Amino acid sequence: MDGPSRPGVPGGGPRRAGRLLRTRLSGLLPGRSDWAAVRRSPRRDLLAGLTVAVVALPLALAFGVTSGLGAQAGLVTAVVAGAVAAIFGGSNLQVSGPTGAMTVVLVPVVQRFGARGVLMVGALAGLILLALALARLGRYVRYLPTPVIEGFTAGIAVVIALQQVPAALGVTDAHGEKVWAVAADAVVRFAAHPRPVAVAMALAVATLMLLGARWRPGLPFSLLGVAAATLFAELAPVELVRIGALPQGLPSPALDFLDPGALGVLLPSALAVAALAALESLLSATVADGMTVGERHDPDRELFGQGLANLAAPVFGGIPATAAIARTAVNVRAGASSKLAALTHAVALAAIVLAAAPLVGRIPLAALAGVLLATTVRMVEAGSLRALFRATRADAVVLVLTFAVTVIWDLVTAVAVGLAVAVVLALRAVARSARLEQVPLDPGEHSAEEHALLAEHIVAYRLDGPLFFAAAHTFLLELAEVADVRVVILRMSRVSTVDATGAQVLGDAVDRLRGRGIAVLLSGITAGHDQVLSTLGVAAELRREGLIFPDTPAAIRHARTIALAG
């Protein structure tokens, strides 16, 4: 046996750390069982992957352009990162690639450090994500409250729908800092120069998908709708905005963007990119699980897959990637059940880049807008939202606030605000559950006259629930009102938790009562709570004077002695 416990064995610590690292790494790598789901329905997975590829293509192009590195960078990210994340990720349904939220973080990086800086930031973010996966931090996303997740999901659905407004209206020159501002500008421009054909096409494709899913859920109505819309646009004498010319081929791998001297200045941006990638990917996987029955992702493996994807994409000139909720939702609704669908999406995009670029370039953007509009309708579970809204006032507040911030600002801010409000409201509810209740004394063997005398001079309080910072102030105010007694017994056996603030307030209350000449006795302190009190030096004088008792009867007997002696 080796390790730190045996100093005579050299290298024990490093060997143990190496074994731990290998064990964790082996648990993050894909195994044979991960691909068992591929054999269930490969045909449906292939069709779902093709459907997602058609939807992902214009998004990849647009996000590449928005990031500042060009359309080709967006395509490379969708192909390379999409394939790597599909193979190594922890979700059977997740689809990864460039996203709108990521471009918001990247634009300042491009402005400050240029294209090489973006590639370097992506690689650093990949390393950070790998470290998070090895540290097993991905699992903590499960503690996100349901109202935060539901509000985030509904907000993302609205954001995706707003993103489709310009394309659905046939407007190409809408502007604005936020997605809702761009949509509003598109409506104004459409009112000045209406393009009814684009609106009709978007609504027709969306309607076909929504009604077709009820009629024959197994058919890829999104693919059929896009094909029919493209055929109509080719045959009818109408003007519609198309995807346009596509870059052909993927660039050769290169590492010339690496610059060790820039690590210090690029690290803050890399941390922001890694945080966004982790948050968006894990939330997307959680949303995908909620849209299906029986699927559960592995959060640590998902972070591992996203880390490898962000390491691979910059080598080919791609921008940082994350899981994409819109494409993941399309994947789920198209019938995907395994990683084969997401991998097919990446392979199909690569094939499109190499062989079918001119054909795909003829697809009307209005048809793709219809696909995503239908997807947003199916993303939102109205029944679940109504139930949460009616559950409690706190749930309703968190739900509405998370939804509003997602639409008005961005998803990272929304999750942070929603989680913060949920924590505050939860602490408020827990603090209200803490009670300081006066309890009657047992008459015991004393006469009625003697017991009446004791009752006038001894008061016992039972503390129920947590004694922590959120409840401590109320506890202090209630205990400070004690008057006209000689002895106070504080029964601590039902205290569920004590933190530093609660312990300090308890000590302050004891000191105030003793300062007024009132004897204070404590009973029923558990071992864990006694450790906190001892570490902070709370009630040290009571301990020295023998005024802390293991149970309440012993405390009462001593209190009677004090009262009768007085």
Side-chain angles (χ1 to χ4, degrees), residues 20-294:
L20 178 62
L21 180 61
R22 287 193 297 271
T23 300
R24 291 193 175 181
L25 186 60
S26 63
L28 295 172
L29 292 173
R32 185 177 301 177
S33 60
D34 296 318
W35 297 97
V38 173
R39 296 191 291 269
R40 290 199 300 245
S41 52
R43 179 174 172 272
R44 289 179 61 185
D45 287 332
L46 290 171
L47 288 174
L50 292 173
T51 302
V52 177
V54 173
V55 173
L57 180 60
L59 296 176
L61 295 170
F63 293 147
V65 172
T66 303
S67 70
L69 268 68
Q72 189 174 15
L75 277 175
V76 168
T77 304
V79 173
V80 177
V84 174
I87 294 172
F88 293 97
S91 171
N92 285 330
L93 308 174
Q94 195 93 283
V95 180
S96 299
T99 63
M102 188 63 76
T103 59
V104 175
V105 180
L106 295 179
V107 169
V109 179
V110 176
Q111 294 173 348
R112 290 187 60 191
F113 308 108
R116 292 183 60 184
V118 172
L119 301 182
M120 186 73 174
V121 164
L124 287 174
L127 292 175
I128 294 170
L129 289 169
L130 291 180
L132 294 177
L134 290 172
R136 297 180 178 178
L137 297 180
R139 65 192 65 190
Y140 292 105
V141 79
R142 72 184 64 176
Y143 296 113
L144 284 175
T146 299
V148 173
I149 296 175
E150 292 290 344
F152 169 85
T153 305
I156 285 294
V158 172
V159 170
I160 295 171
L162 290 173
Q163 288 175 339
Q164 310 317 307
V165 170
L169 299 179
V171 176
T172 59
D173 54 351
H175 301 288
E177 294 185 0
K178 298 293 183 181
V179 63
W180 49 267
V182 176
D185 186 53
V187 172
V188 173
R189 295 175 184 272
F190 175 81
H193 301 284
R195 298 173 179 85
V197 176
V199 177
M201 178 172 288
L203 293 177
V205 172
T207 303
L208 176 65
M209 288 180 59
L210 294 173
L211 296 181
R214 293 187 177 184
W215 175 53
R216 295 288 295 274
L219 291 180
F221 284 99
S222 56
L223 198 58
L224 295 175
V226 169
T230 304
L231 182 62
F232 171 80
E234 291 296 312
L235 299 178
V238 295
E239 291 186 7
L240 288 167
V241 181
R242 315 294 181 101
I243 290 178
L246 299 178
Q248 295 185 340
L250 298 177
S252 301
L255 296 174
D256 55 357
F257 63 89
L258 293 178
D259 182 8
L263 285 175
V265 294
L266 293 177
L267 186 58
S269 298
L271 289 171
V273 168
L276 177 60
L279 181 60
E280 192 168 7
S281 297
L282 294 177
L283 283 177
S284 176
T286 303
V287 170
D289 290 347
M291 296 172 66
T292 59
V293 177

Side-chain angles (χ1 to χ4, degrees), residues 493-550:
S493 60
R494 295 193 183 183
V495 174
S496 57
T497 184
V498 176
D499 70 353
T501 304
Q504 194 63 53
V505 168
L506 175 64
D508 291 343
V510 170
D511 291 341
R512 291 189 185 189
L513 291 173
R514 286 168 62 88
R516 291 161 49 193
I518 300 174
V520 180
L521 283 62
L522 302 183
S523 70
I525 302 176
T526 64
H529 301 162
D530 189 50
Q531 181 180 0
V532 176
L533 297 177
S534 299
T535 302
L536 297 175
V538 175
E541 292 188 13
L542 298 185
R543 200 178 306 275
R544 286 194 298 268
E545 296 173 10
L547 299 179
I548 297 180
F549 300 89

Side-chain angles (χ1 to χ4, degrees), residues 199 224 303 407 431 471 479:
V199 177
L224 295 175
L303 289 182
V407 175
L479 201 57

Side-chain angles (χ1 to χ4, degrees), residues 244-246 248 352-363:
L246 299 178
Q248 295 185 340
I352 289 170
V353 172
L354 295 173
L359 177 62
V360 175
R362 301 300 299 169
I363 296 176

